[in-house]
mmCIF file of all heavy atoms in Angstrom:
data_model
loop_
_atom_site.group_PDB
_atom_site.id
_atom_site.type_symbol
_atom_site.label_atom_id
_atom_site.label_comp_id
_atom_site.label_asym_id
_atom_site.label_seq_id
_atom_site.Cartn_x
_atom_site.Cartn_y
_atom_site.Cartn_z
ATOM 1 N N LYS H 13 -11.317 -18.232 2.800
ATOM 2 C CA LYS H 13 -10.327 -19.240 3.169
ATOM 3 C C LYS H 13 -10.377 -19.393 4.682
ATOM 4 O O LYS H 13 -10.372 -18.404 5.410
ATOM 5 C CB LYS H 13 -8.917 -18.815 2.751
ATOM 6 C CG LYS H 13 -8.685 -18.829 1.267
ATOM 7 C CD LYS H 13 -7.207 -18.879 0.936
ATOM 8 C CE LYS H 13 -6.465 -17.655 1.415
ATOM 9 N NZ LYS H 13 -5.040 -17.656 0.988
ATOM 10 N N GLY H 14 -10.413 -20.631 5.165
ATOM 11 C CA GLY H 14 -10.468 -20.853 6.602
ATOM 12 C C GLY H 14 -9.609 -22.023 7.006
ATOM 13 O O GLY H 14 -8.886 -22.606 6.188
ATOM 14 N N LEU H 15 -9.673 -22.365 8.283
ATOM 15 C CA LEU H 15 -8.907 -23.472 8.813
ATOM 16 C C LEU H 15 -9.780 -24.721 8.885
ATOM 17 O O LEU H 15 -10.937 -24.647 9.285
ATOM 18 C CB LEU H 15 -8.394 -23.131 10.218
ATOM 19 C CG LEU H 15 -7.394 -21.974 10.303
ATOM 20 C CD1 LEU H 15 -7.163 -21.620 11.761
ATOM 21 C CD2 LEU H 15 -6.085 -22.354 9.653
ATOM 22 N N GLU H 16 -9.201 -25.851 8.524
ATOM 23 C CA GLU H 16 -9.944 -27.102 8.628
ATOM 24 C C GLU H 16 -10.221 -27.415 10.085
ATOM 25 O O GLU H 16 -9.334 -27.323 10.941
ATOM 26 C CB GLU H 16 -9.132 -28.237 8.002
ATOM 27 C CG GLU H 16 -9.622 -28.599 6.609
ATOM 28 C CD GLU H 16 -8.886 -29.800 6.068
ATOM 29 O OE1 GLU H 16 -9.062 -30.892 6.635
ATOM 30 O OE2 GLU H 16 -8.161 -29.621 5.102
ATOM 31 N N GLY H 17 -11.448 -27.768 10.383
ATOM 32 C CA GLY H 17 -11.810 -28.127 11.735
ATOM 33 C C GLY H 17 -12.106 -26.954 12.643
ATOM 34 O O GLY H 17 -12.376 -27.139 13.825
ATOM 35 N N VAL H 18 -12.027 -25.724 12.114
ATOM 36 C CA VAL H 18 -12.329 -24.529 12.904
ATOM 37 C C VAL H 18 -13.680 -23.990 12.452
ATOM 38 O O VAL H 18 -13.926 -23.846 11.255
ATOM 39 C CB VAL H 18 -11.241 -23.445 12.711
ATOM 40 C CG1 VAL H 18 -11.586 -22.188 13.494
ATOM 41 C CG2 VAL H 18 -9.886 -23.990 13.145
ATOM 42 N N ASP H 19 -14.565 -23.716 13.414
ATOM 43 C CA ASP H 19 -15.913 -23.305 13.039
ATOM 44 C C ASP H 19 -15.925 -21.913 12.423
ATOM 45 O O ASP H 19 -14.954 -21.166 12.490
ATOM 46 C CB ASP H 19 -16.853 -23.369 14.242
ATOM 47 C CG ASP H 19 -16.431 -22.413 15.361
ATOM 48 O OD1 ASP H 19 -16.321 -21.204 15.108
ATOM 49 O OD2 ASP H 19 -16.221 -22.895 16.493
ATOM 50 N N GLU H 20 -17.060 -21.581 11.820
ATOM 51 C CA GLU H 20 -17.196 -20.322 11.075
ATOM 52 C C GLU H 20 -16.980 -19.112 11.976
ATOM 53 O O GLU H 20 -16.346 -18.131 11.572
ATOM 54 C CB GLU H 20 -18.592 -20.277 10.443
ATOM 55 C CG GLU H 20 -18.876 -19.025 9.608
ATOM 56 C CD GLU H 20 -18.145 -19.044 8.286
ATOM 57 O OE1 GLU H 20 -17.669 -20.122 7.872
ATOM 58 O OE2 GLU H 20 -18.037 -17.969 7.671
ATOM 59 N N PHE H 21 -17.483 -19.173 13.205
ATOM 60 C CA PHE H 21 -17.344 -18.040 14.112
ATOM 61 C C PHE H 21 -15.877 -17.784 14.450
ATOM 62 O O PHE H 21 -15.404 -16.647 14.430
ATOM 63 C CB PHE H 21 -18.139 -18.292 15.396
ATOM 64 C CG PHE H 21 -17.974 -17.215 16.432
ATOM 65 C CD1 PHE H 21 -18.576 -15.972 16.265
ATOM 66 C CD2 PHE H 21 -17.201 -17.437 17.562
ATOM 67 C CE1 PHE H 21 -18.424 -14.965 17.213
ATOM 68 C CE2 PHE H 21 -17.044 -16.444 18.516
ATOM 69 C CZ PHE H 21 -17.658 -15.200 18.337
ATOM 70 N N ALA H 22 -15.142 -18.855 14.756
ATOM 71 C CA ALA H 22 -13.723 -18.707 15.081
ATOM 72 C C ALA H 22 -12.939 -18.205 13.874
ATOM 73 O O ALA H 22 -12.054 -17.352 14.003
ATOM 74 C CB ALA H 22 -13.154 -20.037 15.569
ATOM 75 N N THR H 23 -13.266 -18.726 12.696
ATOM 76 C CA THR H 23 -12.597 -18.269 11.480
ATOM 77 C C THR H 23 -12.836 -16.782 11.257
ATOM 78 O O THR H 23 -11.925 -16.036 10.881
ATOM 79 C CB THR H 23 -13.102 -19.072 10.266
ATOM 80 O OG1 THR H 23 -12.778 -20.449 10.447
ATOM 81 C CG2 THR H 23 -12.474 -18.578 8.973
ATOM 82 N N GLU H 24 -14.061 -16.339 11.503
ATOM 83 C CA GLU H 24 -14.394 -14.921 11.327
ATOM 84 C C GLU H 24 -13.620 -14.058 12.320
ATOM 85 O O GLU H 24 -13.151 -12.972 11.976
ATOM 86 C CB GLU H 24 -15.901 -14.729 11.512
ATOM 87 C CG GLU H 24 -16.418 -13.352 11.103
ATOM 88 C CD GLU H 24 -16.317 -13.111 9.609
ATOM 89 O OE1 GLU H 24 -16.228 -14.095 8.839
ATOM 90 O OE2 GLU H 24 -16.304 -11.930 9.210
ATOM 91 N N ARG H 25 -13.471 -14.536 13.556
ATOM 92 C CA ARG H 25 -12.697 -13.786 14.554
ATOM 93 C C ARG H 25 -11.241 -13.635 14.117
ATOM 94 O O ARG H 25 -10.637 -12.564 14.241
ATOM 95 C CB ARG H 25 -12.743 -14.501 15.910
ATOM 96 C CG ARG H 25 -14.057 -14.381 16.642
ATOM 97 C CD ARG H 25 -13.932 -15.022 18.016
ATOM 98 N NE ARG H 25 -13.051 -14.236 18.884
ATOM 99 C CZ ARG H 25 -12.132 -14.766 19.677
ATOM 100 N NH1 ARG H 25 -11.931 -16.055 19.715
ATOM 101 N NH2 ARG H 25 -11.393 -13.987 20.446
ATOM 102 N N ILE H 26 -10.668 -14.708 13.599
ATOM 103 C CA ILE H 26 -9.279 -14.664 13.141
ATOM 104 C C ILE H 26 -9.139 -13.685 11.985
ATOM 105 O O ILE H 26 -8.230 -12.843 11.953
ATOM 106 C CB ILE H 26 -8.811 -16.071 12.721
ATOM 107 C CG1 ILE H 26 -8.827 -17.012 13.918
ATOM 108 C CG2 ILE H 26 -7.411 -16.007 12.115
ATOM 109 C CD1 ILE H 26 -8.672 -18.477 13.544
ATOM 110 N N ALA H 27 -10.068 -13.783 11.011
ATOM 111 C CA ALA H 27 -10.004 -12.895 9.848
ATOM 112 C C ALA H 27 -10.141 -11.436 10.262
ATOM 113 O O ALA H 27 -9.434 -10.564 9.757
ATOM 114 C CB ALA H 27 -11.102 -13.267 8.845
ATOM 115 N N THR H 28 -11.040 -11.157 11.210
ATOM 116 C CA THR H 28 -11.225 -9.780 11.679
ATOM 117 C C THR H 28 -9.972 -9.261 12.366
ATOM 118 O O THR H 28 -9.538 -8.127 12.133
ATOM 119 C CB THR H 28 -12.420 -9.708 12.644
ATOM 120 O OG1 THR H 28 -13.609 -10.122 11.960
ATOM 121 C CG2 THR H 28 -12.609 -8.299 13.168
ATOM 122 N N ALA H 29 -9.366 -10.098 13.230
ATOM 123 C CA ALA H 29 -8.156 -9.685 13.943
ATOM 124 C C ALA H 29 -7.021 -9.393 12.974
ATOM 125 O O ALA H 29 -6.316 -8.386 13.099
ATOM 126 C CB ALA H 29 -7.739 -10.774 14.934
ATOM 127 N N VAL H 30 -6.849 -10.250 11.983
ATOM 128 C CA VAL H 30 -5.764 -10.049 11.020
ATOM 129 C C VAL H 30 -6.050 -8.842 10.130
ATOM 130 O O VAL H 30 -5.145 -8.072 9.801
ATOM 131 C CB VAL H 30 -5.543 -11.324 10.187
ATOM 132 C CG1 VAL H 30 -4.518 -11.083 9.086
ATOM 133 C CG2 VAL H 30 -5.076 -12.460 11.085
ATOM 134 N N ASP H 31 -7.319 -8.642 9.762
ATOM 135 C CA ASP H 31 -7.680 -7.448 8.986
ATOM 136 C C ASP H 31 -7.309 -6.174 9.740
ATOM 137 O O ASP H 31 -6.774 -5.223 9.154
ATOM 138 C CB ASP H 31 -9.188 -7.440 8.689
ATOM 139 C CG ASP H 31 -9.573 -8.392 7.570
ATOM 140 O OD1 ASP H 31 -8.666 -8.829 6.840
ATOM 141 O OD2 ASP H 31 -10.771 -8.705 7.451
ATOM 142 N N GLN H 32 -7.596 -6.139 11.032
ATOM 143 C CA GLN H 32 -7.259 -4.965 11.835
ATOM 144 C C GLN H 32 -5.751 -4.753 11.883
ATOM 145 O O GLN H 32 -5.257 -3.628 11.751
ATOM 146 C CB GLN H 32 -7.820 -5.127 13.250
ATOM 147 C CG GLN H 32 -9.338 -5.077 13.319
ATOM 148 C CD GLN H 32 -9.878 -5.463 14.691
ATOM 149 O OE1 GLN H 32 -9.147 -5.979 15.538
ATOM 150 N NE2 GLN H 32 -11.164 -5.229 14.909
ATOM 151 N N GLY H 33 -5.016 -5.846 12.068
ATOM 152 C CA GLY H 33 -3.565 -5.739 12.096
ATOM 153 C C GLY H 33 -2.993 -5.284 10.768
ATOM 154 O O GLY H 33 -2.096 -4.429 10.716
ATOM 155 N N GLU H 34 -3.507 -5.844 9.673
ATOM 156 C CA GLU H 34 -3.027 -5.446 8.349
ATOM 157 C C GLU H 34 -3.314 -3.973 8.080
ATOM 158 O O GLU H 34 -2.507 -3.274 7.453
ATOM 159 C CB GLU H 34 -3.680 -6.315 7.266
ATOM 160 C CG GLU H 34 -3.244 -7.768 7.265
ATOM 161 C CD GLU H 34 -1.877 -7.993 6.637
ATOM 162 O OE1 GLU H 34 -1.205 -7.003 6.286
ATOM 163 O OE2 GLU H 34 -1.475 -9.157 6.521
ATOM 164 N N SER H 35 -4.459 -3.489 8.545
ATOM 165 C CA SER H 35 -4.791 -2.079 8.373
ATOM 166 C C SER H 35 -3.781 -1.189 9.100
ATOM 167 O O SER H 35 -3.318 -0.175 8.563
ATOM 168 C CB SER H 35 -6.203 -1.802 8.885
ATOM 169 O OG SER H 35 -6.517 -0.428 8.801
ATOM 170 N N LEU H 36 -3.404 -1.560 10.328
ATOM 171 C CA LEU H 36 -2.408 -0.792 11.073
ATOM 172 C C LEU H 36 -1.051 -0.834 10.381
ATOM 173 O O LEU H 36 -0.331 0.175 10.341
ATOM 174 C CB LEU H 36 -2.288 -1.340 12.498
ATOM 175 C CG LEU H 36 -3.466 -1.038 13.430
ATOM 176 C CD1 LEU H 36 -3.361 -1.863 14.702
ATOM 177 C CD2 LEU H 36 -3.537 0.444 13.763
ATOM 178 N N VAL H 37 -0.693 -1.980 9.827
ATOM 179 C CA VAL H 37 0.575 -2.090 9.103
ATOM 180 C C VAL H 37 0.581 -1.159 7.893
ATOM 181 O O VAL H 37 1.559 -0.449 7.634
ATOM 182 C CB VAL H 37 0.820 -3.554 8.677
ATOM 183 C CG1 VAL H 37 1.921 -3.637 7.631
ATOM 184 C CG2 VAL H 37 1.196 -4.402 9.886
ATOM 185 N N ARG H 38 -0.517 -1.158 7.126
ATOM 186 C CA ARG H 38 -0.579 -0.283 5.945
ATOM 187 C C ARG H 38 -0.470 1.186 6.342
ATOM 188 O O ARG H 38 0.211 1.980 5.671
ATOM 189 C CB ARG H 38 -1.884 -0.528 5.182
ATOM 190 C CG ARG H 38 -1.909 -1.834 4.406
ATOM 191 C CD ARG H 38 -3.087 -1.864 3.436
ATOM 192 N NE ARG H 38 -4.363 -1.774 4.113
ATOM 193 C CZ ARG H 38 -5.038 -2.827 4.574
ATOM 194 N NH1 ARG H 38 -4.542 -4.038 4.444
ATOM 195 N NH2 ARG H 38 -6.206 -2.663 5.162
ATOM 196 N N GLN H 39 -1.155 1.578 7.416
ATOM 197 C CA GLN H 39 -1.076 2.966 7.875
ATOM 198 C C GLN H 39 0.344 3.327 8.299
ATOM 199 O O GLN H 39 0.818 4.433 8.047
ATOM 200 C CB GLN H 39 -2.039 3.178 9.037
ATOM 201 C CG GLN H 39 -3.509 3.085 8.657
ATOM 202 C CD GLN H 39 -4.416 3.007 9.875
ATOM 203 O OE1 GLN H 39 -4.081 3.486 10.945
ATOM 204 N NE2 GLN H 39 -5.564 2.371 9.715
ATOM 205 N N THR H 40 1.034 2.385 8.929
ATOM 206 C CA THR H 40 2.420 2.627 9.340
ATOM 207 C C THR H 40 3.329 2.795 8.138
ATOM 208 O O THR H 40 4.163 3.704 8.089
ATOM 209 C CB THR H 40 2.910 1.459 10.220
ATOM 210 O OG1 THR H 40 2.054 1.322 11.357
ATOM 211 C CG2 THR H 40 4.330 1.699 10.682
ATOM 212 N N VAL H 41 3.184 1.918 7.153
ATOM 213 C CA VAL H 41 4.018 2.000 5.953
ATOM 214 C C VAL H 41 3.754 3.303 5.204
ATOM 215 O O VAL H 41 4.681 3.961 4.712
ATOM 216 C CB VAL H 41 3.765 0.774 5.054
ATOM 217 C CG1 VAL H 41 4.436 0.948 3.698
ATOM 218 C CG2 VAL H 41 4.262 -0.494 5.734
ATOM 219 N N ASP H 42 2.490 3.708 5.117
ATOM 220 C CA ASP H 42 2.156 4.972 4.454
ATOM 221 C C ASP H 42 2.799 6.154 5.183
ATOM 222 O O ASP H 42 3.307 7.090 4.553
ATOM 223 C CB ASP H 42 0.642 5.159 4.396
ATOM 224 C CG ASP H 42 -0.037 4.200 3.434
ATOM 225 O OD1 ASP H 42 0.675 3.618 2.589
ATOM 226 O OD2 ASP H 42 -1.267 4.032 3.527
ATOM 227 N N ALA H 43 2.760 6.128 6.524
ATOM 228 C CA ALA H 43 3.381 7.210 7.299
ATOM 229 C C ALA H 43 4.888 7.211 7.107
ATOM 230 O O ALA H 43 5.517 8.273 6.982
ATOM 231 C CB ALA H 43 3.025 7.071 8.775
ATOM 232 N N ALA H 44 5.496 6.027 7.059
ATOM 233 C CA ALA H 44 6.948 5.934 6.879
ATOM 234 C C ALA H 44 7.382 6.506 5.531
ATOM 235 O O ALA H 44 8.465 7.105 5.418
ATOM 236 C CB ALA H 44 7.387 4.476 6.996
ATOM 237 N N ALA H 45 6.529 6.332 4.513
ATOM 238 C CA ALA H 45 6.877 6.860 3.186
ATOM 239 C C ALA H 45 6.996 8.378 3.199
ATOM 240 O O ALA H 45 7.703 8.968 2.368
ATOM 241 C CB ALA H 45 5.839 6.415 2.159
ATOM 242 N N ARG H 46 6.317 9.042 4.149
ATOM 243 C CA ARG H 46 6.382 10.503 4.222
ATOM 244 C C ARG H 46 7.675 10.997 4.864
ATOM 245 O O ARG H 46 7.996 12.180 4.759
ATOM 246 C CB ARG H 46 5.181 11.039 5.014
ATOM 247 C CG ARG H 46 3.843 10.778 4.346
ATOM 248 C CD ARG H 46 2.726 11.579 4.975
ATOM 249 N NE ARG H 46 2.378 11.122 6.312
ATOM 250 C CZ ARG H 46 2.535 11.823 7.426
ATOM 251 N NH1 ARG H 46 3.090 13.026 7.382
ATOM 252 N NH2 ARG H 46 2.164 11.333 8.595
ATOM 253 N N ILE H 47 8.418 10.105 5.529
ATOM 254 C CA ILE H 47 9.661 10.519 6.174
ATOM 255 C C ILE H 47 10.728 10.818 5.135
ATOM 256 O O ILE H 47 11.523 11.755 5.286
ATOM 257 C CB ILE H 47 10.144 9.428 7.153
ATOM 258 C CG1 ILE H 47 9.108 9.235 8.276
ATOM 259 C CG2 ILE H 47 11.502 9.782 7.744
ATOM 260 C CD1 ILE H 47 9.403 8.054 9.181
ATOM 261 N N GLY H 48 10.756 10.012 4.070
ATOM 262 C CA GLY H 48 11.730 10.250 3.014
ATOM 263 C C GLY H 48 13.128 9.781 3.358
ATOM 264 O O GLY H 48 14.115 10.356 2.886
ATOM 265 N N ASP H 49 13.240 8.733 4.178
ATOM 266 C CA ASP H 49 14.539 8.188 4.562
ATOM 267 C C ASP H 49 14.500 6.687 4.338
ATOM 268 O O ASP H 49 13.793 5.964 5.034
ATOM 269 C CB ASP H 49 14.840 8.514 6.027
ATOM 270 C CG ASP H 49 16.243 8.079 6.449
ATOM 271 O OD1 ASP H 49 16.551 6.877 6.335
ATOM 272 O OD2 ASP H 49 17.019 8.936 6.913
ATOM 273 N N ARG H 50 15.283 6.207 3.373
ATOM 274 C CA ARG H 50 15.210 4.799 2.999
ATOM 275 C C ARG H 50 15.651 3.876 4.132
ATOM 276 O O ARG H 50 15.120 2.780 4.294
ATOM 277 C CB ARG H 50 16.083 4.538 1.762
ATOM 278 C CG ARG H 50 15.428 4.979 0.465
ATOM 279 C CD ARG H 50 16.327 4.747 -0.721
ATOM 280 N NE ARG H 50 15.575 4.903 -1.953
ATOM 281 C CZ ARG H 50 15.045 3.897 -2.624
ATOM 282 N NH1 ARG H 50 15.154 2.680 -2.156
ATOM 283 N NH2 ARG H 50 14.372 4.117 -3.739
ATOM 284 N N ARG H 51 16.634 4.304 4.921
ATOM 285 C CA ARG H 51 17.109 3.454 6.006
ATOM 286 C C ARG H 51 16.028 3.251 7.051
ATOM 287 O O ARG H 51 15.773 2.130 7.503
ATOM 288 C CB ARG H 51 18.364 4.060 6.638
ATOM 289 C CG ARG H 51 19.016 3.158 7.680
ATOM 290 C CD ARG H 51 20.320 3.770 8.172
ATOM 291 N NE ARG H 51 20.080 5.000 8.905
ATOM 292 C CZ ARG H 51 19.741 5.047 10.196
ATOM 293 N NH1 ARG H 51 19.582 3.915 10.876
ATOM 294 N NH2 ARG H 51 19.558 6.194 10.817
ATOM 295 N N LEU H 52 15.362 4.347 7.440
ATOM 296 C CA LEU H 52 14.279 4.225 8.412
ATOM 297 C C LEU H 52 13.113 3.426 7.833
ATOM 298 O O LEU H 52 12.506 2.608 8.531
ATOM 299 C CB LEU H 52 13.802 5.607 8.848
ATOM 300 C CG LEU H 52 14.702 6.358 9.831
ATOM 301 C CD1 LEU H 52 14.106 7.719 10.156
ATOM 302 C CD2 LEU H 52 14.911 5.555 11.106
ATOM 303 N N GLU H 53 12.800 3.667 6.568
ATOM 304 C CA GLU H 53 11.720 2.907 5.941
ATOM 305 C C GLU H 53 12.029 1.417 5.960
ATOM 306 O O GLU H 53 11.133 0.587 6.171
ATOM 307 C CB GLU H 53 11.508 3.386 4.506
ATOM 308 C CG GLU H 53 10.827 4.741 4.391
ATOM 309 C CD GLU H 53 10.568 5.126 2.947
ATOM 310 O OE1 GLU H 53 10.032 4.291 2.196
ATOM 311 O OE2 GLU H 53 10.913 6.258 2.563
ATOM 312 N N GLY H 54 13.322 1.066 5.747
ATOM 313 C CA GLY H 54 13.703 -0.337 5.781
ATOM 314 C C GLY H 54 13.500 -0.951 7.157
ATOM 315 O O GLY H 54 13.027 -2.084 7.276
ATOM 316 N N ARG H 55 13.842 -0.200 8.211
ATOM 317 C CA ARG H 55 13.632 -0.707 9.575
ATOM 318 C C ARG H 55 12.150 -0.911 9.861
ATOM 319 O O ARG H 55 11.750 -1.922 10.450
ATOM 320 C CB ARG H 55 14.225 0.266 10.592
ATOM 321 C CG ARG H 55 15.728 0.321 10.599
ATOM 322 C CD ARG H 55 16.248 1.257 11.682
ATOM 323 N NE ARG H 55 15.998 0.730 13.023
ATOM 324 C CZ ARG H 55 16.375 1.346 14.142
ATOM 325 N NH1 ARG H 55 17.008 2.514 14.068
ATOM 326 N NH2 ARG H 55 16.116 0.815 15.331
ATOM 327 N N ILE H 56 11.339 0.042 9.421
ATOM 328 C CA ILE H 56 9.897 -0.073 9.649
ATOM 329 C C ILE H 56 9.317 -1.236 8.856
ATOM 330 O O ILE H 56 8.465 -1.982 9.355
ATOM 331 C CB ILE H 56 9.205 1.254 9.297
ATOM 332 C CG1 ILE H 56 9.658 2.342 10.276
ATOM 333 C CG2 ILE H 56 7.689 1.113 9.336
ATOM 334 C CD1 ILE H 56 9.374 3.746 9.808
ATOM 335 N N ASP H 57 9.795 -1.410 7.627
ATOM 336 C CA ASP H 57 9.337 -2.552 6.829
ATOM 337 C C ASP H 57 9.652 -3.871 7.530
ATOM 338 O O ASP H 57 8.838 -4.805 7.521
ATOM 339 C CB ASP H 57 10.001 -2.534 5.448
ATOM 340 C CG ASP H 57 9.377 -1.517 4.515
ATOM 341 O OD1 ASP H 57 8.247 -1.075 4.796
ATOM 342 O OD2 ASP H 57 10.020 -1.152 3.511
ATOM 343 N N ARG H 58 10.841 -3.958 8.128
ATOM 344 C CA ARG H 58 11.207 -5.197 8.822
ATOM 345 C C ARG H 58 10.310 -5.437 10.036
ATOM 346 O O ARG H 58 9.916 -6.570 10.315
ATOM 347 C CB ARG H 58 12.679 -5.157 9.226
ATOM 348 C CG ARG H 58 13.639 -5.342 8.054
ATOM 349 C CD ARG H 58 15.065 -5.561 8.523
ATOM 350 N NE ARG H 58 15.633 -4.372 9.147
ATOM 351 C CZ ARG H 58 16.222 -3.379 8.478
ATOM 352 N NH1 ARG H 58 16.302 -3.428 7.160
ATOM 353 N NH2 ARG H 58 16.730 -2.345 9.122
ATOM 354 N N LEU H 59 10.006 -4.359 10.767
ATOM 355 C CA LEU H 59 9.093 -4.491 11.907
ATOM 356 C C LEU H 59 7.715 -4.969 11.443
ATOM 357 O O LEU H 59 7.095 -5.833 12.060
ATOM 358 C CB LEU H 59 8.970 -3.160 12.639
ATOM 359 C CG LEU H 59 10.145 -2.772 13.543
ATOM 360 C CD1 LEU H 59 10.042 -1.304 13.946
ATOM 361 C CD2 LEU H 59 10.173 -3.649 14.784
#
C-alpha cells in the first residue's frame, strides 16, 4: 500500500520509518505488561 503520486523510494522510506516505530511501540507494550499495573498500562497505551 502506498501514496498516490509518491515514488517507490519515498514510499519505502515511509514504510521503513513506520515499521521501526511500530516495533518500538510493541516492545514498550510488552514491557508494560510485565509491570502488572493496569493504570500504568493504560497510560502507556495512550502514549
Side-chain angles (χ1 to χ4, degrees):
K13 290 200 297 185
L15 295 171
E16 258 185 66
V18 178
D19 62 57
E20 181 74 16
F21 176 73
T23 298
E24 191 67 21
R25 286 185 69 223
I26 297 168
T28 299
V30 174
D31 283 345
Q32 292 171 348
E34 291 282 5
S35 177
L36 288 168
V37 165
R38 286 193 299 272
Q39 292 168 27
T40 302
V41 170
D42 290 343
R46 295 193 290 115
I47 297 172
D49 185 302
R50 282 178 168 264
R51 186 175 66 83
L52 284 179
E53 286 183 49
R55 290 183 68 179
I56 294 163
D57 283 342
R58 286 191 292 275
L59 283 167

